[in-house]
């Protein structure tokens, strides 16, 4: 079985050039650092999965800025819509070579990708103008049909995670009908992983028999505060991305912090 490496980046929140997110976070500089780190990987991933909140305000100049920062990667990039994205703007911006898969999409930005040993199904959880996520009957039916037509190990990608994180502030903006989603997943044991963003920190949870995994943000992280009623906040913990490594018939997920760290040092 041929090994395969897929990189996941999430919650890039790119602003127009020269602008900071929340007047504090240089999200473009953070993404440049993540791209530089990805380019150091050996072996290189075969593709990038970007699980939403690609830009901060859904504006065309933000998507243009995003494309400029991602271009050195030279890899196929599969984009997922997040609550900070705007479907039309996203589709218009990525209307070029390498993004033909977006032609499959209708009202919702949902599509299937053949990754060889694995299959990737991208879902659209966006409710325009709102922070929360939703998968209406139409979107869930599409998922159920795609899962039924191919029994290969499958990655399901979506911005809003299908579980409550316990960080109450974020759970107010969670996936509304996670139960209906879980019911679909539970009928398809070949779902290997559910790859999400939105929560701006690494988390894992079993959903419908599969592992749901959240990728950290390439920029700011959500503060880990599990107290009921805690105010939402972000912290500048190390940013990162994930590498999903398919080998020996299993998918192993590595979380890779981005920054300057000492080492590697030999053990002996
Ligand atoms: Fe986000
Ligand atoms: Fe989000």
């Amino acid at each position: 079985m041929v090994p395969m490496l897929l990189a996941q980046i999430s919650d890039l929140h790119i602003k127009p050039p020269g602008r900071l997110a929340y007047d504090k976070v240089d999200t473009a500089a953070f993404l440049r650092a993540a791209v530089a780190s990805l380019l150091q990987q050996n072996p290189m991933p075969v593709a990038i999965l970007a699980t939403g909140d690609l830009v901060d305000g859904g504006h065309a100049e933000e998507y243009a800025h995003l494309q400029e920062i991602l271009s050195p990667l030279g890899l196929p990039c599969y984009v997922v819509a997040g609550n900070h994205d705007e479907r039309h703007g996203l589709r218009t911006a990525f209307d070029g070579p390498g993004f033909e898969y977006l032609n499959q999409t209708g009202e919702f930005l949902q599509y299937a990708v053949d990754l060889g040993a694995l299959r990737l199904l991208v879902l659209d959880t966006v409710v325009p103008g709102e922070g929360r996520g939703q998968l209406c009957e139409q979107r869930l039916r599409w998922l159920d049909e795609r899962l039924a037509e191919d029994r290969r190990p499958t990655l399901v990608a979506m911005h809003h995670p299908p579980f409550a994180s316990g960080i109450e502030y974020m759970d107010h903006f969670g996936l509304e009908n996670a139960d209906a989603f879980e019911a679909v997943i539970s009928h398809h044991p070949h779902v290997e992983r559910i790859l999400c963003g939105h929560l701006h920190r690494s988390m894992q949870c079993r959903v419908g028999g599969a592992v749901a995994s959240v990728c950290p943000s390439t920029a700011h992280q959500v503060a880990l505060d599990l107290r009921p009623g805690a105010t939402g906040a972000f912290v500048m913990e190390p940013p990162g991305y994930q590498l999903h490594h398919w080998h020996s018939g299993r998918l192993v997920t590595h979380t890779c912090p981005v920054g300057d760290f000492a080492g590697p040092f030999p053990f002996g």
Side-chain angles (χ1 to χ4, degrees):
M1 201 171 275
V2 185
M4 201 270 303
L5 196 60
L6 174 72
Q8 183 183 0
I9 56 177
S10 200
D11 294 271
L12 327 174
H13 286 265
I14 295 300
K15 303 284 283 185
R19 297 264 311 276
L20 303 178
Y22 310 104
D23 293 324
K24 273 191 176 57
V25 187
D26 188 349
T27 52
F30 276 113
L31 182 55
R32 284 200 172 88
V35 167
S37 170
L38 282 163
L39 286 169
Q40 296 291 314
Q41 290 295 340
N42 183 12
M44 274 290 282
V46 297
I48 306 288
L49 171 68
T51 41
D53 288 356
L54 310 177
V55 301
D56 202 48
H59 306 301
E61 61 178 330
E62 295 177 331
Y63 286 114
H65 195 197
L66 168 66
Q67 281 188 309
E68 175 232 308
I69 300 169
L70 291 179
S71 61
L73 283 170
L75 293 171
C77 183
Y78 302 114
V79 294
V80 182
N83 52 296
H84 283 258
D85 291 302
E86 202 276 310
R87 281 188 198 119
H88 179 69
L90 200 157
R91 230 187 233 118
T92 309
F94 291 97
D95 184 26
F99 295 96
E100 291 81 2
Y101 61 85
L102 286 175
N103 296 337
Q104 297 180 39
T105 62
E107 179 186 355
F108 303 113
L109 227 142
Q110 302 202 145
Y111 55 91
V113 179
D114 185 344
L115 294 172
L118 300 175
R119 195 164 182 241
L120 170 67
L121 299 179
V122 170
L123 296 181
D124 179 341
T125 55
V126 171
V127 180
E130 298 194 35
R132 70 191 166 103
Q134 192 193 57
L135 284 167
C136 58
E137 217 171 282
Q138 187 184 342
R139 284 175 269 188
L140 284 174
R141 196 179 326 116
W142 181 91
L143 172 65
D144 196 30
E145 288 169 2
R146 296 292 79 69
L147 284 170
E149 73 193 7
D150 193 317
R151 309 300 289 177
R152 266 180 295 175
T154 298
L155 312 175
V156 174
M158 59 205 286
H159 180 65
H160 293 83
F163 60 89
S165 67
I167 300 174
E168 209 174 77
Y169 173 81
M170 291 305 290
D171 292 338
H172 289 313
F173 307 104
L175 182 69
E176 235 174 39
N177 53 340
D179 290 352
F181 169 82
E182 182 164 23
V184 173
I185 295 297
S186 65
H187 288 124
H188 300 284
H190 57 298
V191 176
E192 179 68 32
R193 196 76 97 246
I194 301 160
L195 301 173
C196 314
H198 189 58
L199 294 176
H200 289 237
R201 59 187 309 112
S202 173
M203 275 176 228
Q204 293 76 38
C205 180
R206 189 169 70 157
V207 173
V211 176
S213 167
V214 183
C215 182
S217 168
T218 52
H220 49 295
Q221 311 305 312
V222 165
L224 177 55
D225 193 335
L226 302 174
R227 293 173 299 173
T231 309
F234 67 86
V235 288
M236 301 316 294
E237 289 177 5
Y241 57 85
Q242 288 182 326
L243 290 177
H244 305 289
H245 188 202
W246 175 257
H247 68 109
S248 314
R250 291 181 193 275
L251 191 75
V252 179
T253 294
H254 300 271
T255 299
C256 312
V258 176
D260 291 324
F261 308 109
F265 305 111
F267 281 116

Short mmCIF file of all heavy atoms in Angstrom, two decimals, residues 202-245:
data_model
loop_
_atom_site.label_atom_id
_atom_site.label_comp_id
_atom_site.label_asym_id
_atom_site.label_seq_id
_atom_site.Cartn_x
_atom_site.Cartn_y
_atom_site.Cartn_z
N SER A 202 -5.80 22.03 18.85
CA SER A 202 -5.91 20.62 18.51
C SER A 202 -6.83 19.92 19.50
O SER A 202 -6.68 20.06 20.72
CB SER A 202 -4.51 19.99 18.53
OG SER A 202 -4.61 18.60 18.36
N MET A 203 -7.78 19.16 18.98
CA MET A 203 -8.71 18.38 19.81
C MET A 203 -9.10 17.13 19.05
O MET A 203 -9.12 17.15 17.82
CB MET A 203 -10.02 19.16 20.04
CG MET A 203 -9.99 20.12 21.17
SD MET A 203 -11.53 21.03 21.25
CE MET A 203 -10.88 22.68 21.42
N GLN A 204 -9.42 16.08 19.78
CA GLN A 204 -9.89 14.84 19.17
C GLN A 204 -11.10 14.34 19.94
O GLN A 204 -11.15 14.48 21.16
CB GLN A 204 -8.80 13.76 19.19
CG GLN A 204 -7.59 14.06 18.32
CD GLN A 204 -6.65 15.09 18.93
OE1 GLN A 204 -6.44 15.09 20.14
NE2 GLN A 204 -6.09 15.97 18.12
N CYS A 205 -12.04 13.73 19.22
CA CYS A 205 -13.25 13.21 19.86
C CYS A 205 -13.84 12.13 18.95
O CYS A 205 -13.83 12.27 17.73
CB CYS A 205 -14.25 14.36 20.03
SG CYS A 205 -15.80 13.89 20.79
N ARG A 206 -14.38 11.05 19.53
CA ARG A 206 -15.02 10.02 18.71
C ARG A 206 -16.42 10.47 18.32
O ARG A 206 -17.20 10.87 19.18
CB ARG A 206 -15.08 8.70 19.48
CG ARG A 206 -15.52 7.55 18.59
CD ARG A 206 -15.34 6.24 19.26
NE ARG A 206 -16.30 6.08 20.36
CZ ARG A 206 -16.69 4.91 20.84
NH1 ARG A 206 -16.18 3.81 20.35
NH2 ARG A 206 -17.54 4.84 21.83
N VAL A 207 -16.73 10.38 17.04
CA VAL A 207 -18.05 10.78 16.53
C VAL A 207 -18.52 9.72 15.54
O VAL A 207 -17.89 9.50 14.52
CB VAL A 207 -17.98 12.17 15.84
CG1 VAL A 207 -19.31 12.50 15.16
CG2 VAL A 207 -17.61 13.26 16.83
N GLY A 208 -19.59 9.06 15.86
CA GLY A 208 -20.15 8.05 14.95
C GLY A 208 -19.19 6.91 14.65
O GLY A 208 -19.25 6.33 13.57
N GLY A 209 -18.27 6.64 15.55
CA GLY A 209 -17.30 5.56 15.36
C GLY A 209 -16.02 6.00 14.69
O GLY A 209 -15.07 5.22 14.59
N ALA A 210 -15.95 7.24 14.22
CA ALA A 210 -14.73 7.75 13.59
C ALA A 210 -14.04 8.74 14.54
O ALA A 210 -14.66 9.22 15.49
CB ALA A 210 -15.06 8.44 12.27
N VAL A 211 -12.79 9.04 14.26
CA VAL A 211 -12.07 10.04 15.06
C VAL A 211 -12.29 11.41 14.40
O VAL A 211 -11.94 11.59 13.23
CB VAL A 211 -10.55 9.74 15.12
CG1 VAL A 211 -9.82 10.85 15.87
CG2 VAL A 211 -10.31 8.39 15.77
N ALA A 212 -12.88 12.33 15.17
CA ALA A 212 -12.97 13.71 14.70
C ALA A 212 -11.78 14.45 15.27
O ALA A 212 -11.46 14.32 16.46
CB ALA A 212 -14.28 14.36 15.15
N SER A 213 -11.10 15.21 14.43
CA SER A 213 -9.86 15.87 14.82
C SER A 213 -9.90 17.33 14.41
O SER A 213 -10.34 17.66 13.31
CB SER A 213 -8.70 15.15 14.13
OG SER A 213 -7.51 15.89 14.22
N VAL A 214 -9.46 18.20 15.29
CA VAL A 214 -9.41 19.63 14.99
C VAL A 214 -7.95 20.06 14.85
O VAL A 214 -7.11 19.71 15.70
CB VAL A 214 -10.09 20.47 16.09
CG1 VAL A 214 -10.10 21.95 15.71
CG2 VAL A 214 -11.51 19.98 16.33
N CYS A 215 -7.67 20.81 13.80
CA CYS A 215 -6.32 21.30 13.51
C CYS A 215 -6.15 22.66 14.19
O CYS A 215 -7.06 23.48 14.18
CB CYS A 215 -6.20 21.45 12.00
SG CYS A 215 -4.61 21.98 11.40
N PRO A 216 -4.98 22.92 14.78
CA PRO A 216 -4.78 24.26 15.34
C PRO A 216 -4.78 25.33 14.24
O PRO A 216 -4.68 25.00 13.05
CB PRO A 216 -3.39 24.17 15.99
CG PRO A 216 -2.74 22.97 15.43
CD PRO A 216 -3.82 22.05 14.95
N SER A 217 -4.90 26.58 14.63
CA SER A 217 -4.82 27.67 13.67
C SER A 217 -3.36 27.92 13.30
O SER A 217 -2.46 27.67 14.10
CB SER A 217 -5.41 28.94 14.29
OG SER A 217 -5.10 30.06 13.49
N THR A 218 -3.15 28.41 12.07
CA THR A 218 -1.79 28.83 11.70
C THR A 218 -1.42 30.14 12.39
O THR A 218 -0.27 30.57 12.30
CB THR A 218 -1.68 29.03 10.17
OG1 THR A 218 -2.73 29.90 9.74
CG2 THR A 218 -1.77 27.71 9.43
N ALA A 219 -2.38 30.78 13.09
CA ALA A 219 -2.11 32.07 13.74
C ALA A 219 -2.46 31.98 15.24
O ALA A 219 -1.74 31.34 15.99
CB ALA A 219 -2.89 33.16 13.03
N HIS A 220 -3.55 32.59 15.66
CA HIS A 220 -3.94 32.65 17.07
C HIS A 220 -4.74 31.41 17.47
O HIS A 220 -5.46 30.83 16.66
CB HIS A 220 -4.75 33.92 17.34
CG HIS A 220 -5.86 34.13 16.37
ND1 HIS A 220 -5.66 34.38 15.02
CD2 HIS A 220 -7.21 34.11 16.53
CE1 HIS A 220 -6.81 34.51 14.41
NE2 HIS A 220 -7.77 34.35 15.30
N GLN A 221 -4.64 31.03 18.75
CA GLN A 221 -5.37 29.87 19.27
C GLN A 221 -6.48 30.36 20.22
O GLN A 221 -6.38 31.44 20.81
CB GLN A 221 -4.43 28.93 20.03
CG GLN A 221 -3.15 28.59 19.27
CD GLN A 221 -3.40 28.01 17.88
OE1 GLN A 221 -4.20 27.11 17.71
NE2 GLN A 221 -2.69 28.53 16.87
N VAL A 222 -7.52 29.55 20.37
CA VAL A 222 -8.59 29.87 21.32
C VAL A 222 -8.11 29.46 22.72
O VAL A 222 -7.54 28.38 22.90
CB VAL A 222 -9.90 29.14 20.95
CG1 VAL A 222 -10.89 29.15 22.10
CG2 VAL A 222 -10.52 29.78 19.71
N ALA A 223 -8.32 30.36 23.70
CA ALA A 223 -7.87 30.07 25.07
C ALA A 223 -8.58 28.83 25.60
O ALA A 223 -9.79 28.68 25.42
CB ALA A 223 -8.15 31.27 25.97
N LEU A 224 -7.80 27.96 26.24
CA LEU A 224 -8.38 26.74 26.82
C LEU A 224 -8.97 27.10 28.19
O LEU A 224 -8.26 27.17 29.19
CB LEU A 224 -7.30 25.66 26.97
CG LEU A 224 -7.76 24.36 27.62
CD1 LEU A 224 -8.96 23.76 26.92
CD2 LEU A 224 -6.61 23.35 27.66
N ASP A 225 -10.26 27.39 28.21
CA ASP A 225 -10.94 27.78 29.45
C ASP A 225 -12.24 26.98 29.52
O ASP A 225 -13.19 27.25 28.78
CB ASP A 225 -11.23 29.29 29.43
CG ASP A 225 -11.65 29.79 30.80
OD1 ASP A 225 -12.17 28.96 31.60
OD2 ASP A 225 -11.47 30.98 31.08
N LEU A 226 -12.27 25.98 30.39
CA LEU A 226 -13.40 25.04 30.46
C LEU A 226 -14.41 25.44 31.53
O LEU A 226 -15.33 24.68 31.83
CB LEU A 226 -12.87 23.62 30.73
CG LEU A 226 -11.89 23.10 29.66
CD1 LEU A 226 -11.30 21.74 30.07
CD2 LEU A 226 -12.56 22.97 28.29
N ARG A 227 -14.24 26.64 32.13
CA ARG A 227 -15.20 27.08 33.16
C ARG A 227 -16.52 27.48 32.50
O ARG A 227 -16.51 28.19 31.50
CB ARG A 227 -14.64 28.28 33.93
CG ARG A 227 -13.43 27.95 34.78
CD ARG A 227 -12.84 29.21 35.36
NE ARG A 227 -12.40 30.12 34.29
CZ ARG A 227 -11.97 31.36 34.50
NH1 ARG A 227 -11.93 31.86 35.71
NH2 ARG A 227 -11.58 32.12 33.48
N PRO A 228 -17.65 27.03 33.08
CA PRO A 228 -18.94 27.47 32.53
C PRO A 228 -19.03 28.99 32.55
O PRO A 228 -18.63 29.62 33.53
CB PRO A 228 -19.96 26.85 33.49
CG PRO A 228 -19.24 25.72 34.16
CD PRO A 228 -17.79 26.13 34.23
N GLY A 229 -19.49 29.57 31.46
CA GLY A 229 -19.69 31.01 31.39
C GLY A 229 -18.43 31.82 31.15
O GLY A 229 -18.48 33.05 31.16
N ALA A 230 -17.30 31.15 30.93
CA ALA A 230 -16.05 31.88 30.71
C ALA A 230 -16.13 32.74 29.45
O ALA A 230 -16.76 32.35 28.47
CB ALA A 230 -14.87 30.91 30.61
N THR A 231 -15.52 33.92 29.50
CA THR A 231 -15.50 34.81 28.34
C THR A 231 -14.55 34.23 27.30
O THR A 231 -13.47 33.75 27.64
CB THR A 231 -14.96 36.20 28.78
OG1 THR A 231 -15.71 36.62 29.91
CG2 THR A 231 -15.10 37.23 27.67
N GLY A 232 -14.95 34.31 26.03
CA GLY A 232 -14.09 33.82 24.96
C GLY A 232 -12.85 34.68 24.80
O GLY A 232 -12.92 35.90 25.00
N ALA A 233 -11.72 34.08 24.48
CA ALA A 233 -10.48 34.84 24.31
C ALA A 233 -9.54 34.05 23.41
O ALA A 233 -9.69 32.83 23.26
CB ALA A 233 -9.82 35.07 25.67
N PHE A 234 -8.56 34.76 22.82
CA PHE A 234 -7.53 34.04 22.07
C PHE A 234 -6.18 34.25 22.72
O PHE A 234 -5.98 35.22 23.46
CB PHE A 234 -7.54 34.43 20.58
CG PHE A 234 -7.13 35.84 20.28
CD1 PHE A 234 -5.79 36.19 20.12
CD2 PHE A 234 -8.08 36.83 20.11
CE1 PHE A 234 -5.42 37.49 19.81
CE2 PHE A 234 -7.72 38.14 19.81
CZ PHE A 234 -6.39 38.47 19.65
N VAL A 235 -5.29 33.31 22.49
CA VAL A 235 -3.95 33.36 23.08
C VAL A 235 -2.92 33.07 21.97
O VAL A 235 -3.23 32.42 20.99
CB VAL A 235 -3.76 32.29 24.20
CG1 VAL A 235 -4.54 32.66 25.44
CG2 VAL A 235 -4.16 30.90 23.72
N MET A 236 -1.72 33.59 22.20
CA MET A 236 -0.68 33.38 21.20
C MET A 236 0.18 32.17 21.56
O MET A 236 1.40 32.25 21.65
CB MET A 236 0.15 34.67 21.02
CG MET A 236 -0.68 35.88 20.60
SD MET A 236 -1.93 35.55 19.30
CE MET A 236 -0.87 35.15 17.89
N GLU A 237 -0.49 31.04 21.79
CA GLU A 237 0.22 29.78 21.94
C GLU A 237 0.83 29.42 20.58
O GLU A 237 0.42 29.97 19.56
CB GLU A 237 -0.76 28.68 22.38
CG GLU A 237 -1.23 28.86 23.81
CD GLU A 237 -2.26 27.80 24.22
OE1 GLU A 237 -2.55 26.89 23.43
OE2 GLU A 237 -2.79 27.92 25.34
N PRO A 238 1.80 28.48 20.56
CA PRO A 238 2.44 28.18 19.26
C PRO A 238 1.42 27.81 18.19
O PRO A 238 0.53 26.99 18.43
CB PRO A 238 3.35 26.98 19.59
CG PRO A 238 3.63 27.12 21.04
CD PRO A 238 2.39 27.71 21.66
N PRO A 239 1.51 28.43 17.03
CA PRO A 239 0.63 28.07 15.92
C PRO A 239 1.09 26.75 15.32
O PRO A 239 2.17 26.26 15.66
CB PRO A 239 0.84 29.22 14.93
CG PRO A 239 2.25 29.69 15.21
CD PRO A 239 2.49 29.47 16.68
N GLY A 240 0.30 26.20 14.43
CA GLY A 240 0.72 24.93 13.84
C GLY A 240 -0.18 24.46 12.72
O GLY A 240 -1.13 25.14 12.32
N TYR A 241 0.16 23.28 12.24
CA TYR A 241 -0.63 22.60 11.22
C TYR A 241 -0.55 21.11 11.51
O TYR A 241 0.14 20.70 12.45
CB TYR A 241 -0.13 22.94 9.80
CG TYR A 241 1.31 22.62 9.54
CD1 TYR A 241 1.73 21.35 9.15
CD2 TYR A 241 2.29 23.62 9.69
CE1 TYR A 241 3.06 21.06 8.91
CE2 TYR A 241 3.63 23.34 9.45
CZ TYR A 241 4.01 22.07 9.06
OH TYR A 241 5.34 21.78 8.84
N GLN A 242 -1.26 20.31 10.73
CA GLN A 242 -1.19 18.86 10.94
C GLN A 242 -0.77 18.14 9.66
O GLN A 242 -1.03 18.61 8.55
CB GLN A 242 -2.56 18.32 11.43
CG GLN A 242 -2.83 18.75 12.87
CD GLN A 242 -4.13 18.23 13.44
OE1 GLN A 242 -5.11 18.09 12.72
NE2 GLN A 242 -4.14 17.96 14.73
N LEU A 243 -0.10 17.02 9.87
CA LEU A 243 0.25 16.13 8.76
C LEU A 243 -0.47 14.81 9.00
O LEU A 243 -0.30 14.21 10.07
CB LEU A 243 1.76 15.89 8.71
CG LEU A 243 2.63 17.07 8.28
CD1 LEU A 243 4.11 16.68 8.36
CD2 LEU A 243 2.27 17.53 6.86
N HIS A 244 -1.27 14.40 8.05
CA HIS A 244 -2.00 13.13 8.14
C HIS A 244 -1.26 12.13 7.27
O HIS A 244 -1.18 12.32 6.04
CB HIS A 244 -3.45 13.31 7.69
CG HIS A 244 -4.16 14.40 8.45
ND1 HIS A 244 -4.52 14.27 9.78
CD2 HIS A 244 -4.54 15.66 8.08
CE1 HIS A 244 -5.13 15.39 10.18
NE2 HIS A 244 -5.15 16.23 9.17
N HIS A 245 -0.72 11.12 7.90
CA HIS A 245 0.17 10.17 7.21
C HIS A 245 -0.54 8.83 7.08
O HIS A 245 -0.76 8.13 8.09
CB HIS A 245 1.46 10.02 8.04
CG HIS A 245 2.52 9.22 7.37
ND1 HIS A 245 3.54 8.62 8.06
CD2 HIS A 245 2.73 8.94 6.05
CE1 HIS A 245 4.33 7.99 7.20
NE2 HIS A 245 3.87 8.17 5.99
#
